[in-house]
Amino acid sequence: MYNQGAVEGAANIESGSRVFVYEVVGLRQVEETDQTNYQIRRSGSVFIRVPYNRMNQEMRRITRLGGKIVSIQSVTALQQLNRKVDLVVNEKVELATTDIKVSSEVAAEVSANKDENGKSTPVSNVSEAKGFAKTPAKDKKGNSMTQAKAKKDAHADVPVNIYRPNAPFIGKCISNETLVKEGGIGIVQHLKFDLSAGNLRYLEGQSIGIIPPGVDKNGKPEKLRLYSIASTRHGDNLDDKTISLCVRQLEYKHPETGETVYGVCSTYLSKIKPGDDVKITGPVGKEMLLPEDPEANVIMLATGTGIAPMRTYLWRMFKDAERKANPEYQFQGFSWLLFGVPTSPNILYKEELEAMQEKYPENFRLTYAISREQNNPAGGRMYIQDRVAEHADELWQLIKNEKTHTYICGLRGMEDGIDAALSAAAAKEGVVWSDYQKDLKKAHRWHVETY
């Protein structure tokens, strides 16, 4: 996500002192941003602060990135100084992106923590007002809790930006395991990192940033890349001391030279060894958080490594040790995962998924779309949007339930097909899907993170 930073050189006239906040949806990777070495995720609304004298320029930039401005609000310079901008206080701006600029007050706080031992940004009234995470809560014995504890409304106190790009947490790789079975396509790894030396905590559905070592082609330090977290708040070891990622090595042909190009950060992570240090920032994100209601219904549509947040939900719902660790959250609803992969060996976490389905058949349904092995009704490859079309009527009935949340994670190309399938199902009842979907988004029941 892109965030326009502090006000840039306001003029000495009244209009020059004014700042506007654009609410933008639909930012995505396009030809312009493909020249960068990191991916842009589309994940809900982005709020961009723009000085009056740059409004037209910023509108054109947003259009080039595929975004749409849905609202513009005026913010006076006086309001900024008094920190009364509600859009900032409610944390809807994700701050841990590579393009961030911070105010002088926050920069002063961060500058005191630039050492390599991974200290977090200190908390003050300023940092709390800007959406930084608060000091870790104490347990009954007075010890700091390393992970976020479940609350009735986890969204009200979500940890955000505990560690920043110029003061990252230095974790250690515990394990790096191959997920793609023999005969599969590509390289996908499950990585686990040790968090015991710091106070990084997170919730299911959030992401972290990884800063690869070295410099880019311009001789500048590599920028961070965002990855969805693949473990619950308690970690794979359920000891509140680890975090896991599911990472695919990016590989593609250069459109002009035909040369094979490998992603900088994904290649670094795919080759990292146990004991190696890794720079971690974050966590970030509120778009993909799981509802705390144990009777909610959860539809999950994922492709490839988009399974990462879905794994966190399913572990929290169905893993025995997790259920024991979370007595206040005992899932009683219904969840349905539709998972798209190219081949059977590419079904990530296959054994875990099928074991949960077998143990909880009344609460968990698992559906694969294996594009190179299965055919859709037209005889073409079976993609996830084809599976959605196949089950569109069932999904539509489930979506209408006010307790149902839908999560989409993976490659952005699947969204149009999903919308088309659900549009057909809704139309049978005289409902316009695009309008209904807007209501779902307003109710925070439609969650998308594509890249």
Side-chain angles (χ1 to χ4, degrees):
M1 294 301 173
Y2 177 84
N3 172 43
Q4 185 70 30
V7 181
E8 302 174 7
N12 292 325
I13 59 175
E14 181 180 358
S15 62
S17 67
R18 298 180 67 190
V19 175
F20 294 82
V21 177
Y22 292 176
E23 180 180 0
V24 182
V25 297
L27 287 180
R28 57 183 174 82
Q29 200 93 7
V30 294
E31 183 176 355
E32 174 185 338
T33 56
D34 280 339
Q35 304 306 311
T36 64
N37 54 11
Y38 58 92
Q39 291 179 321
I40 291 177
R41 294 187 177 207
R42 181 169 64 191
S43 181
S45 294
V46 180
F47 294 86
I48 304 176
R49 290 189 291 176
V50 186
Y52 175 83
N53 58 1
R54 293 191 58 198
M55 290 182 71
N56 289 336
Q57 177 184 348
E58 191 64 15
M59 286 180 180
R60 290 192 294 269
R61 190 190 71 84
I62 289 168
T63 300
R64 289 197 304 272
L65 295 180
K68 177 182 178 181
I69 299 173
V70 296
S71 72
I72 300 176
Q73 299 187 41
S74 175
V75 182
T76 67
L78 178 61
Q79 285 176 314
Q80 279 193 308
L81 292 174
N82 289 335
R83 302 181 186 90
K84 292 181 179 179
V85 185
D86 290 340
L87 294 173
V88 176
V89 174
N90 70 17
E91 300 180 21
K92 285 192 177 180
V93 180
E94 289 185 345
L95 297 175
T97 66
T98 56
D99 297 304
I100 185 172
K101 299 177 183 178
V102 297
S103 66
S104 58
E105 298 100 322
V106 178
E109 292 180 346
V110 174
S111 64
N113 289 274
K114 286 187 177 179
D115 55 0
E116 288 297 312
N117 61 6
K119 292 182 180 178
S120 61
T121 304
V123 175
S124 69
N125 291 335
V126 173
S127 62
E128 288 182 2
K130 290 188 176 292
F132 288 23
K134 297 180 180 179
T135 304
K138 303 288 185 177
D139 64 15
K140 293 180 181 179
K141 297 181 181 179
N143 298 319
S144 293
M145 307 300 290
T146 44
Q147 300 293 359
K149 295 302 178 184
K151 297 186 176 183
K152 291 183 179 179
D153 182 8
H155 295 214
D157 188 21
V158 178
V160 179
N161 292 296
I162 299 175
Y163 293 93
R164 291 177 164 272
N166 53 0
F169 170 72
I170 309 301
K172 284 191 178 296
C173 177
I174 296 174
S175 61
N176 185 356
E177 301 174 353
T178 298
L179 289 176
V180 177
K181 301 293 193 298
E182 185 178 352
I185 298 170
I187 296 173
V188 183
Q189 302 295 115
H190 181 78
L191 300 112
K192 185 161 56 180
F193 302 119
D194 181 12
L195 303 181
S196 60
N199 71 335
L200 180 63
R201 59 199 188 281
Y202 56 91
L203 295 174
E204 298 78 16
Q206 290 193 290
S207 300
I208 57 170
I210 301 292
I211 305 176
V215 297
D216 61 21
K217 61 183 179 181
N218 297 317
K220 296 182 179 180
E222 289 286 356
K223 297 177 181 179
L224 68 83
R225 277 74 161 176
L226 287 176
Y227 293 93
S228 297
I229 297 169
S231 53
T232 70
R233 66 191 70 185
H234 301 300
D236 284 353
N237 296 348
L238 297 172
D239 59 4
D240 291 2
K241 295 179 181 179
T242 68
I243 191 170
S244 298
L245 298 179
C246 174
V247 177
R248 175 185 179 272
Q249 184 185 27
L250 177 63
E251 177 182 345
Y252 62 95
K253 294 289 184 181
H254 191 283
E256 296 179 0
T257 66
E259 178 185 4
T260 300
V261 180
Y262 297 95
V264 173
C265 194
S266 61
T267 298
Y268 157 67
L269 288 174
S270 68
K271 297 180 183 298
I272 199 171
K273 295 180 175 59
D276 288 350
D277 288 344
V278 61
K279 293 181 180 179
I280 301 174
T281 67
V284 297
K286 289 187 175 183
E287 174 68 18
M288 298 290 284
L289 297 180
L290 188 68
E292 286 297 303
D293 181 3
E295 295 183 354
N297 301 313
V298 180
I299 299 171
M300 297 163 280
L301 310 175
T303 60
T305 55
I307 191 66
M310 315 309 180
R311 180 181 188 259
T312 72
Y313 309 152
L314 292 170
W315 267 54
R316 184 160 170 77
M317 294 172 187
F318 301 121
K319 275 287 184 177
D320 291 341
E322 270 287 335
R323 291 171 68 88
K324 184 177 180 181
N326 301 293
E328 74 291 338
Y329 180 82
Q330 299 295 300
F331 184 71
Q332 302 296 324
F334 175 72
S335 63
W336 187 356
L337 171 62
L338 290 88
F339 187 19
V341 295
T343 69
S344 293
N346 285 91
I347 301 175
L348 311 177
Y349 308 110
K350 182 176 186 291
E351 291 78 11
E352 291 181 13
L353 297 174
E354 293 179 1
M356 286 185 279
Q357 183 190 40
E358 182 177 357
K359 187 165 185 177
Y360 297 94
E362 300 300 319
N363 301 94
F364 178 39
R365 182 173 177 179
L366 176 61
T367 304
Y368 296 132
I370 308 175
S371 62
R372 302 196 183 190
E373 298 176 10
Q374 299 171 337
N375 293 328
N376 61 30
R381 290 183 174 182
M382 175 65 77
Y383 294 108
I384 190 168
Q385 53 266 37
D386 298 310
R387 283 293 185 217
V388 172
E390 178 183 339
H391 300 288
D393 291 338
E394 286 180 273
L395 290 167
W396 167 241
Q397 295 304 319
L398 191 58
I399 288 170
K400 290 193 298 180
N401 186 319
E402 291 184 356
K403 284 183 171 290
T404 299
H405 288 248
T406 302
Y407 296 84
I408 301 175
C409 190
L411 296 175
R412 64 175 180 266
M414 63 177 167
E415 290 179 74
D416 290 344
I418 291 171
D419 286 337
L422 294 174
S423 293
K428 295 177 182 179
E429 299 180 9
V431 177
V432 178
W433 168 249
S434 58
D435 294 336
Y436 194 87
Q437 187 184 57
K438 291 176 183 177
D439 292 335
L440 291 174
K441 291 177 179 179
K442 289 178 182 177
H444 306 291
R445 295 201 291 117
W446 189 265
H447 314 266
V448 179
E449 186 171 83
T450 55
Y451 40 84

